[in-house]
Amino acid sequence: MSKLSKTEMNVHNTEKLRRVLSTLPKFCLGFFRGIEPHTSLLTRINYAYDLRLFFSFVDDELGLSSKDMQPQDLENITMTDFERYIEYLRLYYKDDDVRENNEKGLARKVASLRTFYKYYYNKEFINTNITAKLETPKIHEKPILRLTHDEALRLLHVVEMGEGLTEKQLAYHSRTRLRDIAIFTLFLTTGIRISELCALDVSDVDIDGRSFKVLRKGGNESILYFGDETAKALDAYLEQRKSQADYSLASPLFLSLQQKRISVRAMQMLAQKYARIAVPLKNISPHKLRSTYGTLLYQNTGDIYLVADVLGHKDVNTTRKHYAAIDESQRKLASRAVILRRSDE
């Protein structure tokens, strides 16, 4: 699975989507055709999973038969039913396994239903969109965790030197050192998303042009740029990569120890391994490394629109919320910025 090229991965995910769609009421196909032009394949797969869970609830908990439902039948589901569904999502069973949803999981599934109902309401298949009245489960914001400049340097030092690793980990480190340096340098100097990094092929990187190509959320292709530090790390790794399995321009850029395209899960575990040593008091994930880059970029440029563009945020307010927070040093500076009566007066 992880050795698939991008084209093969697209075929695999298309087949996955079709399998999930085959379990939904037939009328749902119209919704997926309607959203295809402005959504990515992975987004549509997530919608399909959310709707499969919803219609499973309709069948099992409401005692209705969703198989033969038509769009108009959506109006038979009441607000009380939706409230029961949200409660159901907090804890339910699937194949004898307990499943739970946190605040973000609940919010996403409610958002999926809203989008689904809104489509059929706009197409005038239903007269009312009851999901517009649904309250979004409240998400309690946690403090945004990121590395300071010194902590980022410390992390790169651990990655490069293998400091603090066990003997067993050091044995692997000797084989993956150049790869790991390239990965963490990319995270910390470009703000690339973990899914984007895992999907990189050799042909996506242009060392001479100091740039690489990524597929953003929503399916938009974008070019990101990097400096000499990142170019040096990538160049060193690429020399090693040429001697590894199935090397070609179309092959995966980053490989696992099994010589397959590195997975998102493996990348998360990699970040945790090094971060536990470099910054033991912070639970650092690849997304936190992206947050670190965004914060450092904003601190060095003061340009929130540039940060939004580089990170691929569609709404600059999202960027402002995450990266333009006033830090403690700025607060102290502000306390001395306005002086009404000077001491020498």
Side-chain angles (χ1 to χ4, degrees), residues 225-248:
Y225 296 90
F226 52 82
D228 292 342
E229 178 184 11
T230 307
K232 181 180 178 181
L234 283 170
D235 199 30
Y237 168 66
L238 280 170
E239 284 302 311
Q240 182 187 69
R241 177 68 183 88
K242 291 174 184 177
S243 66
Q244 295 174 324
D246 301 326
Y247 178 82
S248 70

Side-chain angles (χ1 to χ4, degrees), residues 13 19 21 23 44-45 53 55 60 70 75 88 131 133 135 137 155 241 268 274 287 292 295 300 317 326 343 345:
N13 284 332
R19 285 195 297 271
L21 290 181
T23 68
R44 293 194 295 280
I45 289 174
L53 180 57
F55 284 111
D60 298 339
Q70 297 299 316
E75 293 187 295
Y88 168 84
T131 62
K133 300 178 181 179
E135 291 187 14
L155 177 62
R241 177 68 183 88
Q268 291 168 335
Y274 288 118
H287 186 71
T292 297
T295 301
N300 282 278
N317 289 320
I326 300 175
S343 59
E345 291 181 355

Side-chain angles (χ1 to χ4, degrees), residues 54-66:
F54 173 67
F55 284 111
S56 174
F57 169 82
V58 168
D59 290 335
D60 298 339
E61 302 295 325
L62 299 185
L64 302 176
S65 176
S66 65

Side-chain angles (χ1 to χ4, degrees), residues 110-119 129 131-132 134-136:
V110 170
S112 294
L113 280 178
R114 282 208 187 100
T115 302
F116 181 66
Y117 267 72
K118 183 179 179 181
Y119 173 83
N129 177 11
T131 62
L134 270 179
E135 291 187 14
T136 301

Side-chain angles (χ1 to χ4, degrees), residues 133-264:
K133 300 178 181 179
L134 270 179
E135 291 187 14
T136 301
K138 187 174 181 179
I139 298 178
H140 295 85
E141 295 290 344
K142 298 180 180 178
I144 298 168
L145 195 63
R146 54 176 74 89
L147 299 178
T148 65
H149 181 269
D150 289 344
E151 288 171 337
L153 290 178
R154 169 68 177 157
L155 177 62
L156 285 176
H157 175 76
V158 171
V159 174
E160 183 174 1
M161 304 305 295
E163 185 178 294
L165 296 177
T166 65
E167 287 188 17
K168 183 177 180 180
Q169 289 173 329
L170 282 172
Y172 290 123
H173 183 259
S174 64
R175 298 162 56 189
T176 65
R177 175 177 174 273
L178 293 178
R179 182 203 69 179
D180 296 350
I181 292 172
I183 285 172
F184 282 87
T185 303
L186 265 176
F187 273 134
L188 289 167
T189 63
T190 69
I192 188 173
R193 291 182 175 93
I194 183 173
S195 59
E196 295 166 351
L197 193 145
C198 291
L200 286 176
D201 288 339
V202 173
S203 61
D204 293 325
V205 179
D206 178 6
I207 297 291
D208 293 334
R210 300 291 194 267
S211 61
F212 61 96
K213 180 175 60 179
V214 297
L215 196 64
R216 292 294 201 187
K217 284 184 176 180
N220 297 318
E221 202 172 83
S222 184
I223 303 294
L224 298 181
Y225 296 90
F226 52 82
D228 292 342
E229 178 184 11
T230 307
K232 181 180 178 181
L234 283 170
D235 199 30
Y237 168 66
L238 280 170
E239 284 302 311
Q240 182 187 69
R241 177 68 183 88
K242 291 174 184 177
S243 66
Q244 295 174 324
D246 301 326
Y247 178 82
S248 70
L249 290 178
S251 62
L253 178 60
F254 293 111
L255 298 181
S256 67
L257 287 168
Q258 290 74 39
Q259 301 295 291
K260 299 176 181 180
R261 183 186 295 276
I262 194 166
S263 67
V264 168

Side-chain angles (χ1 to χ4, degrees), residues 12-79:
H12 171 80
N13 284 332
T14 299
E15 291 174 345
K16 180 191 293 185
L17 176 61
R18 288 175 178 173
R19 285 195 297 271
V20 182
L21 290 181
S22 69
T23 68
L24 300 179
K26 290 183 179 179
F27 78 88
C28 295
L29 293 176
F31 167 71
F32 285 91
R33 283 194 294 266
I35 65 173
E36 182 174 1
H38 54 85
T39 58
S40 69
L41 183 54
L42 290 179
T43 296
R44 293 194 295 280
I45 289 174
N46 285 330
Y47 274 131
Y49 283 142
D50 290 347
L51 290 175
R52 182 174 68 180
L53 180 57
F54 173 67
F55 284 111
S56 174
F57 169 82
V58 168
D59 290 335
D60 298 339
E61 302 295 325
L62 299 185
L64 302 176
S65 176
S66 65
K67 181 180 179 181
D68 299 318
M69 283 182 68
Q70 297 299 316
Q72 295 82 356
D73 296 323
L74 294 174
E75 293 187 295
N76 295 332
I77 301 174
T78 67
M79 181 60 73

